[in-house]
Amino acid sequence: MKILVTGSAGFIGFHLTKYLLERGDIVVGLDNINDYYDVNLKYGRLSEAGITRESVSLKKYSISSKYPNYSFVQADLSDLQYLKEICEIEKFDVICNLAAQAGVRYSLINPQAYIDSNIQGFLNILECCRDNQIKHLVYASSSSVYGLNDEMPFSESHKTDRPISLYAATKKSNELMAHTYSHLFNFQTTGLRFFTVYGPWGRPDMALFSFTDRILKGLPISIYNNGEMRRDFTYIDDIVDGIVKVIDGPISLGTFDKTPSSESLSSVYNIGRGMPVNLMDFISELESCLGINCIKELMPMQDGDVAQTWADIENMRSRFNYNPKYSLQIGVKAFIDWYKNYYNIQSIAQ
Ligand SMILES: NC(=O)c1ccc[n+]([C@@H]2O[C@H](COP(=O)([O-])OP(=O)(O)OC[C@H]3O[C@@H](n4cnc5c(N)ncnc54)[C@H](O)[C@@H]3O)[C@@H](O)[C@H]2O)c1
């Protein structure tokens, strides 16, 4: 298959791209490499996939030295004309849109970034699908769409009309926009509601990364809602496995020509572990992996955040045979091993 992966210098996009390349798909990766967090991490991921920093240039393809089936281009989702150009030339089978302004808390600080990338940018992706007969658009949604819903576990059949952050509102909007475009223009769209993804090459703004960073510096970590939080932490390899299963089917790529109903064309799935973990247990796991007892600062709940997430993954399981298998112990250790290696941390003193 020929696949456009947007956000391919990002955490999930990098891992997905690598998986697809290794099994032989042709991938064009696209990312604007913005500085929401340390760009060195983004260039580091690209370099792991054979794209050197020096070769990256705006709207010009770099070819991977490691994977002949990989080219990467630095471009912004807001550039509709350029997106249309590459879609017309490349004739992708699938677009996997992972590029977005991520992060719940930052949406209280810089809301415009969310509108630009997640609303305007997503509309541009939909327009490209419409114009170029893309058979399947797979895109990142988020567990945050469940907002104030307190029915557990979160099921795709639950109402998601009470988001509590602009980030969540943009992700919910993506689901509605995708449904509309599937209905009007007859192409397949699948939204994936990811649940707290973690693992090697993860995001510095997320708990595992920022806690590790602070603990190793001997700084206290902030524990919100006094630790009364539960998260459905999902290891990156399980997320990639889920995305690939959705890219591969069971939806036939011929669906586009068969004028099926809009309901079968547009769908949304939870991809989580299906096993929420108490925040304090998560921190204990991290402490034991690092061999350090950290200094904890108990804090009130943050605006925009929810106390608990828990994915009902039955739909992914039954439709795509999705079976997450990585335990928190294995996942946290894999992250710490990567972190120590990446930041060249030889030994950790108590
Ligand atoms: N990581 C999680 O736990 C999680 C949970 C729920 C949903 N998601 C969603 O999954 C997707 C991937 O998340 P991630 O954790 O890999 O985040 P990430 O920030 O590491 O990756 C996103 C990438 O998109 C790029 N990007 C942002 N705006 C762009 C634009 N306008 N044009 C081109 N590129 C742009 C960024 O430079 C970045 O490299 C995002 O849509 C995110 O909202 C992630």
PDB file of all heavy atoms in Angstrom, residues 40-64:
ATOM      1  N   ASN A  40      14.519  18.498  18.806  1.00  0.00           N
ATOM      2  CA  ASN A  40      15.583  17.481  18.692  1.00  0.00           C
ATOM      3  C   ASN A  40      15.014  16.069  18.760  1.00  0.00           C
ATOM      4  O   ASN A  40      15.510  15.160  18.114  1.00  0.00           O
ATOM      5  CB  ASN A  40      16.617  17.655  19.814  1.00  0.00           C
ATOM      6  CG  ASN A  40      17.402  18.934  19.594  1.00  0.00           C
ATOM      7  OD1 ASN A  40      17.862  19.199  18.491  1.00  0.00           O
ATOM      8  ND2 ASN A  40      17.525  19.728  20.636  1.00  0.00           N
ATOM      9  N   LEU A  41      13.964  15.933  19.550  1.00  0.00           N
ATOM     10  CA  LEU A  41      13.311  14.628  19.665  1.00  0.00           C
ATOM     11  C   LEU A  41      12.664  14.249  18.324  1.00  0.00           C
ATOM     12  O   LEU A  41      12.714  13.097  17.891  1.00  0.00           O
ATOM     13  CB  LEU A  41      12.249  14.728  20.759  1.00  0.00           C
ATOM     14  CG  LEU A  41      11.839  13.471  21.495  1.00  0.00           C
ATOM     15  CD1 LEU A  41      13.016  12.683  22.021  1.00  0.00           C
ATOM     16  CD2 LEU A  41      10.912  13.854  22.648  1.00  0.00           C
ATOM     17  N   LYS A  42      12.099  15.229  17.655  1.00  0.00           N
ATOM     18  CA  LYS A  42      11.459  14.966  16.355  1.00  0.00           C
ATOM     19  C   LYS A  42      12.515  14.613  15.312  1.00  0.00           C
ATOM     20  O   LYS A  42      12.360  13.663  14.546  1.00  0.00           O
ATOM     21  CB  LYS A  42      10.617  16.169  15.924  1.00  0.00           C
ATOM     22  CG  LYS A  42       9.473  16.444  16.904  1.00  0.00           C
ATOM     23  CD  LYS A  42       8.547  17.551  16.454  1.00  0.00           C
ATOM     24  CE  LYS A  42       7.453  17.773  17.517  1.00  0.00           C
ATOM     25  NZ  LYS A  42       6.475  18.778  17.175  1.00  0.00           N
ATOM     26  N   TYR A  43      13.603  15.383  15.306  1.00  0.00           N
ATOM     27  CA  TYR A  43      14.689  15.057  14.363  1.00  0.00           C
ATOM     28  C   TYR A  43      15.322  13.710  14.719  1.00  0.00           C
ATOM     29  O   TYR A  43      15.755  12.970  13.834  1.00  0.00           O
ATOM     30  CB  TYR A  43      15.732  16.167  14.342  1.00  0.00           C
ATOM     31  CG  TYR A  43      15.279  17.383  13.562  1.00  0.00           C
ATOM     32  CD1 TYR A  43      15.035  18.596  14.199  1.00  0.00           C
ATOM     33  CD2 TYR A  43      15.078  17.313  12.167  1.00  0.00           C
ATOM     34  CE1 TYR A  43      14.611  19.711  13.482  1.00  0.00           C
ATOM     35  CE2 TYR A  43      14.653  18.437  11.456  1.00  0.00           C
ATOM     36  CZ  TYR A  43      14.427  19.623  12.114  1.00  0.00           C
ATOM     37  OH  TYR A  43      14.001  20.729  11.400  1.00  0.00           O
ATOM     38  N   GLY A  44      15.380  13.416  16.011  1.00  0.00           N
ATOM     39  CA  GLY A  44      15.928  12.126  16.449  1.00  0.00           C
ATOM     40  C   GLY A  44      15.101  10.972  15.912  1.00  0.00           C
ATOM     41  O   GLY A  44      15.637   9.965  15.437  1.00  0.00           O
ATOM     42  N   ARG A  45      13.778  11.118  15.963  1.00  0.00           N
ATOM     43  CA  ARG A  45      12.901  10.056  15.439  1.00  0.00           C
ATOM     44  C   ARG A  45      13.107   9.910  13.939  1.00  0.00           C
ATOM     45  O   ARG A  45      13.191   8.798  13.411  1.00  0.00           O
ATOM     46  CB  ARG A  45      11.431  10.400  15.735  1.00  0.00           C
ATOM     47  CG  ARG A  45      11.066  10.428  17.204  1.00  0.00           C
ATOM     48  CD  ARG A  45       9.606  10.831  17.350  1.00  0.00           C
ATOM     49  NE  ARG A  45       9.201  11.034  18.727  1.00  0.00           N
ATOM     50  CZ  ARG A  45       8.581  12.126  19.189  1.00  0.00           C
ATOM     51  NH1 ARG A  45       8.284  13.128  18.363  1.00  0.00           N
ATOM     52  NH2 ARG A  45       8.238  12.213  20.452  1.00  0.00           N
ATOM     53  N   LEU A  46      13.177  11.061  13.249  1.00  0.00           N
ATOM     54  CA  LEU A  46      13.376  11.018  11.793  1.00  0.00           C
ATOM     55  C   LEU A  46      14.688  10.305  11.479  1.00  0.00           C
ATOM     56  O   LEU A  46      14.750   9.470  10.566  1.00  0.00           O
ATOM     57  CB  LEU A  46      13.380  12.434  11.202  1.00  0.00           C
ATOM     58  CG  LEU A  46      12.016  13.133  11.139  1.00  0.00           C
ATOM     59  CD1 LEU A  46      12.180  14.585  10.686  1.00  0.00           C
ATOM     60  CD2 LEU A  46      11.064  12.406  10.199  1.00  0.00           C
ATOM     61  N   SER A  47      15.708  10.625  12.242  1.00  0.00           N
ATOM     62  CA  SER A  47      17.019  10.034  11.987  1.00  0.00           C
ATOM     63  C   SER A  47      16.979   8.514  12.214  1.00  0.00           C
ATOM     64  O   SER A  47      17.613   7.765  11.477  1.00  0.00           O
ATOM     65  CB  SER A  47      18.030  10.760  12.858  1.00  0.00           C
ATOM     66  OG  SER A  47      19.066   9.953  13.203  1.00  0.00           O
ATOM     67  N   GLU A  48      16.227   8.066  13.194  1.00  0.00           N
ATOM     68  CA  GLU A  48      16.038   6.616  13.410  1.00  0.00           C
ATOM     69  C   GLU A  48      15.456   5.950  12.173  1.00  0.00           C
ATOM     70  O   GLU A  48      15.657   4.774  11.931  1.00  0.00           O
ATOM     71  CB  GLU A  48      15.036   6.397  14.559  1.00  0.00           C
ATOM     72  CG  GLU A  48      15.603   6.414  15.932  1.00  0.00           C
ATOM     73  CD  GLU A  48      16.452   5.189  16.236  1.00  0.00           C
ATOM     74  OE1 GLU A  48      15.931   4.063  16.245  1.00  0.00           O
ATOM     75  OE2 GLU A  48      17.653   5.388  16.446  1.00  0.00           O
ATOM     76  N   ALA A  49      14.685   6.715  11.424  1.00  0.00           N
ATOM     77  CA  ALA A  49      14.057   6.172  10.204  1.00  0.00           C
ATOM     78  C   ALA A  49      14.870   6.545   8.955  1.00  0.00           C
ATOM     79  O   ALA A  49      14.377   6.456   7.832  1.00  0.00           O
ATOM     80  CB  ALA A  49      12.617   6.674  10.091  1.00  0.00           C
ATOM     81  N   GLY A  50      16.116   6.981   9.173  1.00  0.00           N
ATOM     82  CA  GLY A  50      17.013   7.210   8.033  1.00  0.00           C
ATOM     83  C   GLY A  50      16.874   8.561   7.351  1.00  0.00           C
ATOM     84  O   GLY A  50      17.352   8.760   6.233  1.00  0.00           O
ATOM     85  N   ILE A  51      16.210   9.522   8.017  1.00  0.00           N
ATOM     86  CA  ILE A  51      16.076  10.872   7.443  1.00  0.00           C
ATOM     87  C   ILE A  51      16.985  11.813   8.242  1.00  0.00           C
ATOM     88  O   ILE A  51      16.722  12.058   9.428  1.00  0.00           O
ATOM     89  CB  ILE A  51      14.608  11.378   7.544  1.00  0.00           C
ATOM     90  CG1 ILE A  51      13.620  10.407   6.886  1.00  0.00           C
ATOM     91  CG2 ILE A  51      14.469  12.808   7.009  1.00  0.00           C
ATOM     92  CD1 ILE A  51      13.586  10.411   5.385  1.00  0.00           C
ATOM     93  N   THR A  52      18.022  12.307   7.623  1.00  0.00           N
ATOM     94  CA  THR A  52      18.941  13.169   8.372  1.00  0.00           C
ATOM     95  C   THR A  52      18.357  14.572   8.507  1.00  0.00           C
ATOM     96  O   THR A  52      17.609  15.038   7.633  1.00  0.00           O
ATOM     97  CB  THR A  52      20.307  13.289   7.661  1.00  0.00           C
ATOM     98  OG1 THR A  52      20.074  13.860   6.375  1.00  0.00           O
ATOM     99  CG2 THR A  52      20.993  11.950   7.535  1.00  0.00           C
ATOM    100  N   ARG A  53      18.743  15.240   9.555  1.00  0.00           N
ATOM    101  CA  ARG A  53      18.270  16.601   9.839  1.00  0.00           C
ATOM    102  C   ARG A  53      18.643  17.528   8.679  1.00  0.00           C
ATOM    103  O   ARG A  53      17.845  18.372   8.261  1.00  0.00           O
ATOM    104  CB  ARG A  53      18.921  17.076  11.139  1.00  0.00           C
ATOM    105  CG  ARG A  53      18.358  18.354  11.668  1.00  0.00           C
ATOM    106  CD  ARG A  53      18.912  18.635  13.057  1.00  0.00           C
ATOM    107  NE  ARG A  53      18.266  19.784  13.618  1.00  0.00           N
ATOM    108  CZ  ARG A  53      18.018  19.946  14.913  1.00  0.00           C
ATOM    109  NH1 ARG A  53      18.338  19.030  15.770  1.00  0.00           N
ATOM    110  NH2 ARG A  53      17.417  21.037  15.346  1.00  0.00           N
ATOM    111  N   GLU A  54      19.855  17.369   8.165  1.00  0.00           N
ATOM    112  CA  GLU A  54      20.353  18.246   7.095  1.00  0.00           C
ATOM    113  C   GLU A  54      19.535  18.093   5.823  1.00  0.00           C
ATOM    114  O   GLU A  54      19.430  19.023   5.025  1.00  0.00           O
ATOM    115  CB  GLU A  54      21.825  17.916   6.758  1.00  0.00           C
ATOM    116  CG  GLU A  54      22.813  18.057   7.902  1.00  0.00           C
ATOM    117  CD  GLU A  54      22.625  17.019   9.017  1.00  0.00           C
ATOM    118  OE1 GLU A  54      22.427  15.827   8.697  1.00  0.00           O
ATOM    119  OE2 GLU A  54      22.633  17.419  10.206  1.00  0.00           O
ATOM    120  N   SER A  55      18.968  16.907   5.629  1.00  0.00           N
ATOM    121  CA  SER A  55      18.240  16.678   4.373  1.00  0.00           C
ATOM    122  C   SER A  55      16.816  17.244   4.416  1.00  0.00           C
ATOM    123  O   SER A  55      16.146  17.362   3.393  1.00  0.00           O
ATOM    124  CB  SER A  55      18.182  15.178   4.054  1.00  0.00           C
ATOM    125  OG  SER A  55      17.283  14.548   4.940  1.00  0.00           O
ATOM    126  N   VAL A  56      16.347  17.592   5.627  1.00  0.00           N
ATOM    127  CA  VAL A  56      14.949  18.050   5.748  1.00  0.00           C
ATOM    128  C   VAL A  56      14.838  19.498   5.271  1.00  0.00           C
ATOM    129  O   VAL A  56      15.600  20.368   5.669  1.00  0.00           O
ATOM    130  CB  VAL A  56      14.453  17.936   7.213  1.00  0.00           C
ATOM    131  CG1 VAL A  56      13.087  18.573   7.378  1.00  0.00           C
ATOM    132  CG2 VAL A  56      14.421  16.481   7.643  1.00  0.00           C
ATOM    133  N   SER A  57      13.869  19.700   4.396  1.00  0.00           N
ATOM    134  CA  SER A  57      13.704  21.043   3.837  1.00  0.00           C
ATOM    135  C   SER A  57      12.224  21.244   3.494  1.00  0.00           C
ATOM    136  O   SER A  57      11.527  20.292   3.110  1.00  0.00           O
ATOM    137  CB  SER A  57      14.607  21.110   2.596  1.00  0.00           C
ATOM    138  OG  SER A  57      14.261  22.162   1.792  1.00  0.00           O
ATOM    139  N   LEU A  58      11.775  22.476   3.657  1.00  0.00           N
ATOM    140  CA  LEU A  58      10.352  22.773   3.492  1.00  0.00           C
ATOM    141  C   LEU A  58       9.860  22.405   2.084  1.00  0.00           C
ATOM    142  O   LEU A  58      10.453  22.824   1.084  1.00  0.00           O
ATOM    143  CB  LEU A  58      10.122  24.266   3.769  1.00  0.00           C
ATOM    144  CG  LEU A  58       8.663  24.671   4.001  1.00  0.00           C
ATOM    145  CD1 LEU A  58       8.084  24.004   5.232  1.00  0.00           C
ATOM    146  CD2 LEU A  58       8.554  26.195   4.132  1.00  0.00           C
ATOM    147  N   LYS A  59       8.813  21.602   2.031  1.00  0.00           N
ATOM    148  CA  LYS A  59       8.144  21.181   0.792  1.00  0.00           C
ATOM    149  C   LYS A  59       9.073  20.478  -0.198  1.00  0.00           C
ATOM    150  O   LYS A  59       8.874  20.554  -1.407  1.00  0.00           O
ATOM    151  CB  LYS A  59       7.454  22.390   0.131  1.00  0.00           C
ATOM    152  CG  LYS A  59       6.350  22.968   1.012  1.00  0.00           C
ATOM    153  CD  LYS A  59       5.343  23.708   0.202  1.00  0.00           C
ATOM    154  CE  LYS A  59       5.273  25.155   0.537  1.00  0.00           C
ATOM    155  NZ  LYS A  59       4.292  25.874  -0.249  1.00  0.00           N
ATOM    156  N   LYS A  60      10.131  19.845   0.326  1.00  0.00           N
ATOM    157  CA  LYS A  60      11.020  19.047  -0.536  1.00  0.00           C
ATOM    158  C   LYS A  60      11.152  17.663   0.070  1.00  0.00           C
ATOM    159  O   LYS A  60      11.330  17.535   1.280  1.00  0.00           O
ATOM    160  CB  LYS A  60      12.407  19.693  -0.626  1.00  0.00           C
ATOM    161  CG  LYS A  60      12.415  21.019  -1.327  1.00  0.00           C
ATOM    162  CD  LYS A  60      13.626  21.151  -2.272  1.00  0.00           C
ATOM    163  CE  LYS A  60      13.518  22.360  -3.161  1.00  0.00           C
ATOM    164  NZ  LYS A  60      13.633  23.631  -2.429  1.00  0.00           N
ATOM    165  N   TYR A  61      11.091  16.644  -0.754  1.00  0.00           N
ATOM    166  CA  TYR A  61      11.189  15.273  -0.249  1.00  0.00           C
ATOM    167  C   TYR A  61      12.619  14.945   0.179  1.00  0.00           C
ATOM    168  O   TYR A  61      13.562  15.267  -0.528  1.00  0.00           O
ATOM    169  CB  TYR A  61      10.804  14.283  -1.360  1.00  0.00           C
ATOM    170  CG  TYR A  61       9.311  14.059  -1.513  1.00  0.00           C
ATOM    171  CD1 TYR A  61       8.390  15.048  -1.221  1.00  0.00           C
ATOM    172  CD2 TYR A  61       8.827  12.839  -1.974  1.00  0.00           C
ATOM    173  CE1 TYR A  61       7.034  14.828  -1.378  1.00  0.00           C
ATOM    174  CE2 TYR A  61       7.473  12.611  -2.138  1.00  0.00           C
ATOM    175  CZ  TYR A  61       6.579  13.608  -1.834  1.00  0.00           C
ATOM    176  OH  TYR A  61       5.243  13.392  -1.987  1.00  0.00           O
ATOM    177  N   SER A  62      12.764  14.271   1.324  1.00  0.00           N
ATOM    178  CA  SER A  62      14.037  13.629   1.700  1.00  0.00           C
ATOM    179  C   SER A  62      13.791  12.134   1.571  1.00  0.00           C
ATOM    180  O   SER A  62      12.735  11.642   2.002  1.00  0.00           O
ATOM    181  CB  SER A  62      14.390  13.880   3.157  1.00  0.00           C
ATOM    182  OG  SER A  62      14.277  15.224   3.464  1.00  0.00           O
ATOM    183  N   ILE A  63      14.773  11.430   1.059  1.00  0.00           N
ATOM    184  CA  ILE A  63      14.630   9.976   0.938  1.00  0.00           C
ATOM    185  C   ILE A  63      15.444   9.323   2.055  1.00  0.00           C
ATOM    186  O   ILE A  63      16.581   9.710   2.317  1.00  0.00           O
ATOM    187  CB  ILE A  63      15.135   9.450  -0.440  1.00  0.00           C
ATOM    188  CG1 ILE A  63      14.516  10.262  -1.592  1.00  0.00           C
ATOM    189  CG2 ILE A  63      14.852   7.955  -0.596  1.00  0.00           C
ATOM    190  CD1 ILE A  63      13.028  10.123  -1.754  1.00  0.00           C
ATOM    191  N   SER A  64      14.831   8.342   2.685  1.00  0.00           N
ATOM    192  CA  SER A  64      15.493   7.682   3.812  1.00  0.00           C
ATOM    193  C   SER A  64      16.690   6.867   3.337  1.00  0.00           C
ATOM    194  O   SER A  64      16.614   6.183   2.314  1.00  0.00           O
ATOM    195  CB  SER A  64      14.478   6.766   4.499  1.00  0.00           C
ATOM    196  OG  SER A  64      15.118   5.856   5.329  1.00  0.00           O
TER     197      SER A  64
END
